[in-house]
Amino acid sequence: MKTFQQYALGYMDSIGAPIVHALWPRQPTWAVASISDMDAAFFAGLVIETRPAKLVEIGVASGWGSCVLLEALDAAEMQKSVLHGVDIAERFFYDEAYATGQCVNDVMPERLARYRLTTGMTAGECAARIGAGVDFAFIDAHHMHPWATLDLLAIMPMMQPASWVAMHDINLSRKEDQEHRNRGPKYLFEGWEGDKMHSTQVPTMAGAIRLPDDPPACLPLLLDILYTPWELPVDARSCNAATDAVERVYGATWGAKFRRACEIGNYHVGKMQSADIDELHRKIAALRGGVRGWARALFSERNA
Ligand SMILES: C[S@@+](CC[C@H](N)C(=O)[O-])C[C@H]1O[C@@H](n2cnc3c(N)ncnc32)[C@H](O)[C@@H]1O
């Protein structure tokens, strides 16, 4: 594992903190379930330092994260940069009274001309629409494996070599209420063998990996990460959108390898998570509950 030597731990957080501090009082009260101010400082610092021209945020929700990125672009004097937002949901998942991305309209309408939002699609489905030349990505959509890896596969063919890919919730699975699920960004971040860095929070939630100078060089590693057992099945349309993007740019052999990894991932997760297995788990839990549990299970079975 390589960490990035150019910046000391905490450097990104420290240069992003002042703009986050100034921006935070403007966060609408309804814009919950977003990045924290600590995460925002790291991501803003990364944008200020790397000064990207074409950014993609995958997973927009309220749009508060988009506000942070747009604010950081101004701090970096990158007023001509464009931020593309992608979200599967048309409405803010936490409160449907608000549209996905609405924070940008409400908080900084003057920046809407530089904000291109696509809803109702995954990254794979709208990567071609975004087009080439992306030099910064922020992956913060579905947190169960393999989504973060699929999102990266979808957008990587559109990205410039050596660009940074920020990702959120890399240790979400370590929060007690998550029952060790939501390991998608964690597998991608921890499995990454190239340059990477993270915020100072412990455990950190905000991280970033840097694509190699020759992006196809990381395909074997991404394939390996994709083979890590999946936490949920993924429909064929979404898998194909990502693997087709790989095939278009890196060739049929890579397309076939990633398609096979998707088949295997879906096959195993299907075996591990089926209605029959859920029923068995319920029965085992009832039996473990002692005689009363066993009797209750027997009774409910007889009356079924
Ligand atoms: C944690 S929220 C994003 C928070 C946002 N980045 C911020 O900082 O405010 C996750 C979002 O990802 C979206 N999402 C979930 N699965 C997705 C997928 N496969 N493709 C695109 N968006 C997805 C959800 O609709 C939700 O709005």
Side-chain angles (χ1 to χ4, degrees):
M1 168 168 116
K2 278 196 286 181
T3 48
F4 201 60
Q5 300 303 318
Q6 191 176 335
Y7 307 113
L9 179 69
Y11 176 75
M12 295 302 166
D13 316 54
S14 67
I15 59 171
I19 73 141
V20 166
H21 186 68
L23 181 65
W24 229 248
R26 295 167 65 196
Q27 183 177 26
T29 49
W30 60 267
V32 294
S34 182
I35 52 177
S36 73
D37 54 346
M38 281 178 290
D39 305 329
F42 175 81
F43 295 133
L46 190 57
V47 169
I48 292 168
E49 180 67 23
T50 58
R51 309 184 78 236
K54 185 168 179 177
L55 303 79
V56 177
E57 180 183 13
I58 305 171
V60 168
S62 67
W64 182 244
S66 304
C67 290
V68 170
L69 298 178
L70 288 164
E71 187 78 3
L73 284 172
D74 271 24
E77 298 183 348
M78 295 296 286
Q79 282 87 352
K80 288 194 177 148
S81 297
V82 173
L83 169 62
H84 292 261
V86 184
D87 200 295
I88 195 93
E90 313 275 352
R91 309 293 304 175
F92 175 34
F93 78 96
Y94 201 86
D95 184 347
E96 296 210 336
Y98 302 93
T100 293
Q102 192 170 323
C103 265
V104 181
N105 306 56
D106 291 4
V107 177
M108 42 186 73
E110 71 284 3
R111 297 193 184 134
L112 279 172
R114 296 191 278 128
Y115 187 51
R116 316 267 154 82
L117 180 62
T118 303
T119 55
M121 285 189 194
T122 64
E125 287 163 338
C126 76
R129 176 190 295 203
I130 291 168
V134 174
D135 53 0
F136 186 95
F138 174 35
I139 298 178
D140 188 20
H142 204 304
H143 293 328
M144 286 208 189
H145 186 63
W147 269 110
T149 304
L150 287 180
D151 287 339
L152 177 57
L153 286 171
I155 201 68
M156 198 174 88
M158 304 295 153
M159 292 191 71
Q160 304 275 41
S163 300
W164 284 96
V165 179
M167 53 184 84
H168 188 226
D169 280 334
I170 56 180
N171 278 302
L172 184 61
S173 62
R174 289 177 64 183
K175 287 194 170 170
E176 235 165 63
D177 63 349
Q178 299 297 312
E179 297 173 336
H180 300 277
R181 292 167 308 164
N182 287 309
R183 288 170 170 261
K186 186 177 183 68
Y187 288 154
L188 181 54
F189 184 78
E190 290 189 357
W192 190 253
E193 289 171 352
D195 295 326
K196 56 183 163 184
M197 56 184 154
H198 57 75
S199 74
T200 52
Q201 193 186 3
V202 181
T204 176
M205 292 293 162
I209 59 178
R210 197 173 72 141
L211 296 182
D213 294 337
D214 173 30
C218 70
L219 289 172
L221 180 67
L222 289 177
L223 186 64
D224 194 51
I225 295 170
L226 192 61
Y227 268 107
T228 306
W230 290 14
E231 291 184 286
L232 82 174
V234 177
D235 62 281
R237 199 179 101 184
S238 303
C239 285
N240 290 343
T243 57
D244 289 355
V246 168
E247 178 156 318
R248 264 195 306 277
V249 176
Y250 305 121
T253 306
W254 280 114
K257 283 180 197 255
F258 280 96
R259 261 194 303 281
R260 181 72 182 142
C262 287
E263 278 167 23
I264 300 284
N266 265 324
Y267 172 72
H268 284 297
V269 82
K271 275 202 310 184
M272 286 188 294
Q273 293 175 5
S274 70
D276 289 348
I277 291 175
D278 287 350
E279 181 55 23
L280 277 176
H281 280 303
R282 267 193 295 278
K283 285 186 175 167
I284 291 166
L287 290 172
R288 285 206 176 119
V291 175
R292 280 180 58 214
W294 172 81
R296 219 179 294 126
L298 192 69
F299 182 78
S300 56
E301 222 163 62
R302 280 195 183 148
N303 285 294

